[in-house]
Amino acid sequence: MSTNIEGKVIVITGASSGLGEAAARALSADGATVVLGARRFERVQTLANELIAGGRRALACKTDVTDHKQVKKLVDMAVESFGRIDVMLNNAGLMPHSPLERLKIDDRDRTIDVNIKGVLYGIAAALPHMKEQKSGHIINVSSVAGHKVTPAGAVYAATKHAVRALSEGLRVEVKPYNIRTTVISPGAVATELPDSITEPDISLGIHKFYDSYAIPANAFARAVAFAISQPDDVDVNEILFRPTRQEL
Ligand SMILES: NC(=O)c1ccc[n+]([C@@H]2O[C@H](COP(=O)([O-])OP(=O)(O)OC[C@H]3O[C@@H](n4cnc5c(N)ncnc54)[C@H](OP(=O)(O)O)[C@@H]3O)[C@@H](O)[C@H]2O)c1
């Protein structure tokens, strides 16, 4: 039975760990061709090699999403190698929580550059191809923090609210081109994300929270697969999920 995933060319940013890696593995197992971007090239290359050894099609490209030229290169490489791009999964992100009064300017700049500009660069790289194809699917990763703001999480939450606003703006603009748009907002999922926190006390608290509540990354992969696998005339625009035990 066709899953509407098999044969699709899917570009994933932040595919070197966590949610991106889990999505790459699951979508590849469902028969997709995956094109993997991240700054840690050896990780995405190793993953691509593993998938190829298992009989799948995969490609890796060193990509820093804060550089729009590198994101364009990732997407163009997918189209040159496999003839098209069916799905752009804008997943790369970081979460260096800290209270505003601690003035962690560098952390904030990086968060905005990766979580907002990175998504915009992904959209910019994929849209021209999808417009020409008159088909495609852009999936952006927000968060429960795109719905709720917590102490020490204001900047991260601001970027994830922005991702939801951008996704809705994109949705209403791309109707003429037959492009689907989905924003996925996960709760706590066990990944390397808490390691991006640079303030020791905040890091300790968030790690404790994740150790108690986080669910496996495959929960995200299943949400991505659900959105992609719908018939072409069904556009799943929003998915919000949490660990069952997570109250926040
Ligand atoms: N885990 C959760 O609980 C959770 C909940 C809600 C939302 N999210 C969102 O899910 C997404 C993935 O995070 P994760 O949980 O899987 O964390 P993760 O394990 O830390 O993965 C983050 C990924 O983003 C990539 N990345 C970071 N900066 C980058 C840059 N400048 N250019 C390219 N790639 C970059 C990393 O790759 P390199 O370091 O190799 O570049 C890595 O592959 C993020 O957008 C995050 O905000 C996660």
Side-chain angles (χ1 to χ4, degrees), residues 1-212:
M1 198 180 80
S2 168
T3 59
N4 210 16
I5 295 174
E6 193 170 352
K8 284 193 166 168
V9 178
I10 302 178
V11 177
I12 304 173
T13 66
S16 59
S17 66
L19 305 188
E21 179 185 344
R25 288 183 185 283
L27 296 166
S28 175
D30 283 340
T33 296
V34 291
V35 179
L36 313 172
R39 291 167 307 169
R40 288 172 292 178
F41 178 66
E42 60 301 334
R43 284 212 190 187
V44 277
Q45 184 66 74
T46 303
L47 177 56
N49 288 343
E50 186 190 320
L51 299 174
I52 292 164
R56 304 300 185 184
R57 296 201 305 176
L59 198 62
C61 179
K62 185 174 168 68
T63 312
D64 184 332
V65 298
T66 65
D67 178 351
H68 69 89
K69 292 196 191 101
Q70 291 187 36
V71 185
K72 184 174 184 310
K73 188 177 149 209
L74 171 73
V75 170
D76 289 351
M77 214 174 90
V79 175
E80 277 156 28
S81 305
F82 302 114
R84 54 187 297 107
I85 171 175
D86 296 297
V87 181
M88 180 73 196
L89 176 52
N90 288 309
N91 164 74
L94 70 162
M95 187 188 72
H97 278 357
S98 65
L100 291 169
E101 65 177 347
R102 293 199 197 168
L103 311 180
K104 301 282 289 185
I105 304 292
D106 288 349
D107 277 357
R108 285 173 206 167
D109 285 350
R110 280 192 303 126
T111 309
I112 290 164
D113 286 347
V114 175
N115 294 9
I116 302 180
K117 289 187 185 174
V119 170
L120 280 169
Y121 295 158
I123 292 169
L127 256 188
H129 297 293
M130 292 180 175
K131 276 175 71 176
E132 203 182 312
Q133 293 170 180
K134 280 257 193 278
S135 74
H137 191 167
I138 296 179
I139 303 177
N140 298 326
V141 181
S142 178
S143 170
V144 163
H147 299 256
K148 289 186 177 262
V149 187
T150 55
V155 175
Y156 180 72
T159 65
K160 292 304 184 179
H161 277 72
V163 170
R164 288 185 59 222
L166 291 171
S167 301
E168 177 60 7
L170 181 68
R171 185 189 72 76
V172 295
E173 286 186 21
V174 296
K175 289 292 143 193
Y177 311 117
N178 190 37
I179 296 171
R180 302 193 292 181
T181 61
T182 304
V183 59
I184 301 182
S185 299
V189 180
T191 68
E192 297 174 16
L193 195 68
D195 299 344
S196 62
I197 302 168
T198 57
E199 292 290 271
D201 57 331
I202 307 294
S203 173
L204 189 67
I206 298 285
H207 271 101
K208 272 189 184 158
F209 179 79
Y210 271 71
D211 289 347
S212 303

